[in-house]
Amino acid sequence: MQYRVWCRYFRTSGLLSHMIVKMAHTAQKGKLIAVIGDEDTCTGFLLGGIGEINKKREPNFLVVNKNTSVMEIEEMFRNFVKRADIAIILINQNIAEMIRHVIDTYTDPIPAVLEIPSKECPYDASKDSILRRAKGMFSAEDFR
């Protein structure tokens, strides 16, 4: 039905109408938030309703514990970055420190990577490479 309405409104067919329908479908579909964190962080976000499993049975979260290897964390981060259905990746700052070399090489704006504190480790702005990059984009004169 949306397709017919859009086609009548724009009096078009072909590529433009296909693009409009695709944009409307994407807007309805939405994007996900992914979480890489300790058990408490992931549990909180899952209780908040962000937990999803896609068609390939891949979750949008990784619970990191003492038995989780750095390679597993790196691999999951790279998978989240490649997935088209993820818009934001939240990662505990202490876990981000473990894979800092991978996070520093990632420069795309979407999905956005945000470092968050954990229960045991408070947030330290000096360690946040994303925040440092953002600060480097602006000068003091921009805020006057």
Side-chain angles (χ1 to χ4, degrees), residues 13-29:
S13 62
L15 183 60
L16 182 59
S17 59
H18 175 72
M19 288 172 50
I20 292 167
V21 170
K22 189 167 182 133
M23 287 188 309
H25 177 70
T26 303
Q28 288 176 353
K29 188 176 177 184

Side-chain angles (χ1 to χ4, degrees), residues 1 22 32 34 39 54 61 65 68 70-71 77 88 90 101 109 112 118 122 130 136 140:
M1 178 155 174
K22 189 167 182 133
L32 300 176
E39 187 174 1
N54 65 8
F61 60 92
N65 57 32
T68 308
V70 174
M71 293 294 284
F77 179 80
I88 299 171
L90 300 176
H101 59 282
S118 67
I130 308 296

Side-chain angles (χ1 to χ4, degrees), residues 81-94:
V81 166
K82 290 177 190 173
R83 283 178 50 179
D85 62 336
I86 293 179
I88 299 171
I89 300 172
L90 300 176
I91 184 168
N92 284 133
Q93 192 172 45
N94 59 325

Side-chain angles (χ1 to χ4, degrees), residues 7-18:
C7 281
R8 279 189 213 140
Y9 183 74
F10 286 102
R11 299 248 187 252
T12 61
S13 62
L15 183 60
L16 182 59
S17 59
H18 175 72

Side-chain angles (χ1 to χ4, degrees), residues 22-90:
K22 189 167 182 133
M23 287 188 309
H25 177 70
T26 303
Q28 288 176 353
K29 188 176 177 184
K31 299 251 181 185
L32 300 176
I33 297 174
V35 179
I36 301 174
D38 59 10
E39 187 174 1
D40 292 335
T41 301
C42 288
T43 301
F45 279 103
L46 291 172
L47 288 171
I50 67 131
E52 291 281 335
I53 295 180
N54 65 8
K55 292 177 183 177
K56 296 179 183 176
R57 307 287 301 152
E58 297 170 328
N60 64 331
F61 60 92
L62 173 67
V63 178
V64 178
N65 57 32
K66 61 183 179 184
N67 299 325
T68 308
S69 70
V70 174
M71 293 294 284
E72 288 177 78
I73 300 168
E74 288 177 8
E75 183 181 335
M76 189 59 88
F77 179 80
R78 288 187 179 111
N79 288 342
F80 286 161
V81 166
K82 290 177 190 173
R83 283 178 50 179
D85 62 336
I86 293 179
I88 299 171
I89 300 172
L90 300 176

